[in-house]
Amino acid sequence: MSLKDSAMMPLGTPAPDFSLPDTVSGKHKTFADVAGEKGTLVMFICNHCPYVIHIAREIAGVAAEYDPKGIGFVAISSNDVAERPEDGPEAMAEFAEANNFIFPYLYDESQDVAKAYDAVCTPDFFLFDAKGRCAYRGQFDASRPNNGEPVTGADLRASLDAVLEGDLIPEEAQVPSQGCSIKWKAA
């Protein structure tokens, strides 16, 4: 397992658009399709990463709590399935169902979307405000597999609350996410 910290997209960056297949519905989804009225969370995750597995159920809980408040949610896997077959579309659909995801789980086979977002790890979180500008990029919370910290989603929840209130999220509140490196295709 190669450990990485997120690259921290500059705040205010417009959300890069995408059109990717949803592994659950089979339909292509764009940023506009998943955008919430008050904000949108784009998550880069995968099935095999212990950091994602550690928080997957709480991610589903956060989505269930904030979706009715006007926040849109989408998860994207960009891993090279030649290197990690367990991260392929069929397994993604199973992972989404097993973890009660209420949001689309998209497959970025070309890896172009991960590159557009400068995503480098799983999980990697990008929260956009109602105008589609990056308001937060950082960790879910301080919990990591085996570090003893409870999984609460505290950092992300505070950022979601700030976006709902129209408040700026201070730079010092934006701690890089940490997890497995995205498995890039050989050039």
Side-chain angles (χ1 to χ4, degrees):
M1 173 174 64
S2 176
L3 190 64
K4 285 287 215 187
D5 288 350
S6 53
M8 306 297 279
M9 167 189 283
L11 296 175
T13 300
D17 199 9
F18 51 78
S19 178
L20 297 172
D22 179 10
T23 60
V24 178
S25 72
K27 298 178 179 173
H28 271 69
K29 301 284 184 179
T30 65
F31 182 85
D33 292 333
V34 301
E37 179 184 329
K38 297 185 177 175
T40 309
L41 181 68
V42 177
M43 303 170 277
F44 288 84
I45 68 171
C46 69
N47 303 341
H48 85 276
C49 175
Y51 289 81
V52 173
I53 293 167
H54 181 68
I55 64 172
R57 292 251 178 213
E58 190 65 20
I59 288 172
V62 169
E65 180 181 343
Y66 284 88
D67 178 78
K69 297 177 182 181
I71 301 292
F73 289 79
V74 65
I76 300 171
S77 179
S78 300
N79 274 356
D80 177 12
V81 297
E83 183 176 338
R84 284 294 188 170
E86 67 268 40
D87 288 338
E90 187 175 305
M92 290 169 61
E94 292 168 6
F95 188 83
E97 184 178 334
N99 287 288
N100 301 314
F101 289 176
I102 62 168
F103 46 83
Y105 189 10
L106 311 180
Y107 179 47
D108 177 23
E109 182 176 14
S110 71
Q111 302 184 317
D112 290 342
V113 177
K115 291 173 185 169
Y117 279 76
D118 203 14
V120 296
C121 64
T122 58
D124 217 348
F125 298 93
F126 300 86
L127 177 60
F128 298 89
D129 63 18
K131 294 180 181 175
R133 296 176 308 215
C134 184
Y136 176 79
R137 66 289 189 258
Q139 69 179 4
F140 188 71
D141 60 24
S143 181
R144 305 288 185 267
N146 303 314
N147 78 350
E149 293 285 331
V151 178
T152 62
D155 292 60
L156 184 60
R157 287 175 191 276
S159 298
L160 289 162
D161 290 339
V163 164
L164 287 171
E165 294 297 320
D167 296 337
L168 291 176
I169 303 160
E171 186 70 39
E172 60 272 10
Q174 307 212 19
V175 177
S177 188
Q178 189 177 67
C180 299
S181 64
I182 290 177
K183 306 310 178 234
W184 300 105
K185 293 179 179 185

